[in-house]
Amino acid sequence: MSDQPTKAETARAARLFDVRRVIGGLFTVYGVIVTIVGLFDSQAEIDKAAGVRINLWIGLGMLALGLLFLLWQWWRPAEPPPASDIPPAGQIRE
């Protein structure tokens, strides 16, 4: 058995470490939290923001941005680097 990763393993690793997944996940989670907070804002908090439910709108915007990143990552998955760019096991590039 070879120590070289298979093409499927390399592709899976490239997708696992895709920064769009991290950014999309964080924005989605924070967007849900801020949206829920915005739904239950008191009148004093709304008045402080000049009558705008700022938490609700910002939460919805964050949720949309997070879902956009996740959709982008799903629509155009990360491609693994070509085999010529992967050094053999045990060899360090300088």
Side-chain angles (χ1 to χ4, degrees):
M1 189 160 220
S2 173
D3 287 336
Q4 292 292 333
T6 65
K7 190 173 185 176
E9 290 171 339
T10 306
R12 185 171 45 244
R15 285 190 299 273
L16 179 66
F17 295 110
D18 191 356
V19 72
R20 296 174 293 180
R21 178 177 288 180
V22 175
I23 293 171
L26 285 174
F27 267 97
T28 301
V29 169
Y30 291 152
V32 168
I33 292 169
V34 175
T35 300
I36 290 171
V37 169
L39 290 173
F40 298 105
D41 276 346
S42 67
Q43 190 59 42
E45 291 169 333
I46 295 170
D47 292 341
K48 193 187 314 182
V52 177
R53 296 187 80 128
I54 195 72
N55 286 335
L56 178 64
W57 289 110
I58 293 299
L60 290 173
M62 290 173 70
L63 186 60
L65 182 66
L67 292 175
L68 183 68
F69 267 89
L70 292 175
L71 180 66
W72 179 26
Q73 187 258 337
W74 174 75
W75 190 29
R76 296 234 186 232
E79 295 294 324
S84 61
D85 289 348
I86 301 173
Q91 180 181 358
I92 298 175
R93 279 186 147 169
E94 292 184 17

